[in-house]
Amino acid sequence: AAGVIQSPRHLIKEKRETATLKCYPIPRHDTVYWYQQGPGQDPQFLISFYEKMQSDKGSIPDRFSAQQFSDYHSELNMSSLELGDSALYFCASSPVLASTDTQYFGPGTRLTVL
Amino acid sequence: GESVGLHLPTLSVQEGDNSIINCAYSNSASDYFIWYKQESGKGPQFIIDIRSNMDKRQGQRVTVLLNKTVKHLSLQIAATQPGDSAVYFCAENIKGNQGAQKLVFGQGTRLTINP
């Protein structure tokens, strides 16, 4: 079965640079979520989109922005990168905007900021 | 506030034994809970879920128990195998704005299966 695709899988950036992470949800899933997982930490919700509109926002820095496109893929844009942004970034998708639909996670993008 | 936590950060069991991983949650209004397994360098993998109108749900070698009275979840893995070694997270599905949902994860328990 098709899964969530994320690219790139690994990314190395310098401080103050920008980064763009991409997420391709499972086919026919129209809701996308972004999570950040620091070393040894649990994933933290950043932001979600439903039908190309932002549906919820968590602890996402103002330096970060995201959007969902007409083909339902999503991009997380990160500017003025800081050392503390080094983390695993996961995208998850679910089929509908509802309270009990399971979120399926992608393999993640490991971002390292030097 | 919203929080989901795990009692034990690490757990080691012998191959073939059963394991139990515990989780406490604080939001009594939560109605949906999920257990995820995360192997090193991979994304969280769905294992099993349970809704608040149930107190037990079984899958293949896994059982989730929900005690709403004390706001406690547990994941039981039967006849553990080396491939069960991973970090296990419980997650609480929280309704956000306009019906959107987000997951609040617990700390995670590292399960090690010893041969």
Side-chain angles (χ1 to χ4, degrees):
Chain A
V4 176
I5 297 171
Q6 291 188 246
S7 69
R9 294 294 312 279
H10 302 272
L11 191 58
I12 299 175
K13 291 286 185 179
E14 300 278 345
K15 282 194 306 183
R16 293 180 289 277
E17 286 190 322
T18 61
T20 297
L21 279 53
K22 297 185 179 181
C23 168
Y24 298 85
I26 293 171
R28 291 179 294 283
H29 283 198
D30 51 15
T31 306
V32 169
Y33 313 80
W34 287 96
Y35 291 84
Q36 177 191 59
Q37 185 178 29
Q41 303 296 313
D42 58 282
Q44 295 288 321
F45 172 74
L46 291 178
I47 195 167
S48 62
F49 291 88
Y50 167 66
E51 285 292 342
K52 293 150 282 187
M53 298 290 290
Q54 180 181 308
S55 54
D56 201 358
K57 197 171 182 179
S59 51
I60 183 169
D62 292 340
R63 300 177 289 108
F64 295 5
S65 65
Q67 57 183 322
Q68 185 180 31
F69 295 85
S70 58
D71 63 350
Y72 297 107
H73 95 272
S74 178
E75 294 184 4
L76 177 65
N77 300 294
M78 311 161 71
S79 63
S80 302
L81 287 169
E82 302 174 357
L83 296 178
D85 296 329
S86 295
L88 275 166
Y89 290 84
F90 292 107
C91 172
S93 72
S94 66
V96 294
L97 187 65
S99 64
T100 56
D101 281 302
T102 304
Q103 295 182 29
Y104 295 92
F105 283 77
T109 294
R110 181 176 294 279
L111 173 66
T112 302
V113 181
L114 302 176
Chain B
E2 304 165 351
S3 68
V4 179
L6 291 173
H7 295 305
L8 298 173
T10 61
L11 178 64
S12 293
V13 300
Q14 291 298 121
E15 182 178 353
D17 286 353
N18 300 332
S19 67
I20 300 176
I21 300 172
N22 296 302
C23 176
Y25 65 94
S26 62
N27 190 338
S28 57
S30 295
D31 61 2
Y32 182 52
F33 305 88
I34 311 101
W35 281 99
Y36 285 93
K37 172 187 179 183
Q38 187 176 26
E39 297 174 277
S40 181
K42 297 184 179 180
Q45 176 188 356
F46 171 85
I47 300 174
I48 193 168
D49 58 1
I50 190 167
R51 303 180 196 280
S52 60
N53 61 352
M54 304 171 70
D55 54 16
K56 181 179 180 179
R57 191 164 189 222
Q58 288 184 293
Q60 187 177 13
R61 288 199 303 116
V62 294
T63 300
V64 55
L65 299 177
L66 174 62
N67 185 329
K68 294 181 288 293
T69 301
V70 295
K71 291 184 283 188
H72 183 269
L73 274 167
S74 67
L75 176 70
Q76 301 177 0
I77 305 175
T80 53
Q81 303 169 357
D84 293 331
S85 293
V87 176
Y88 290 81
F89 291 96
C90 65
E92 187 177 9
N93 197 55
I94 302 289
K95 275 190 179 179
N97 299 329
Q98 301 174 350
Q101 59 172 335
K102 63 181 178 183
L103 294 175
V104 174
F105 284 84
Q107 182 183 6
T109 292
R110 180 174 297 282
L111 176 64
T112 301
I113 308 303
N114 300 313

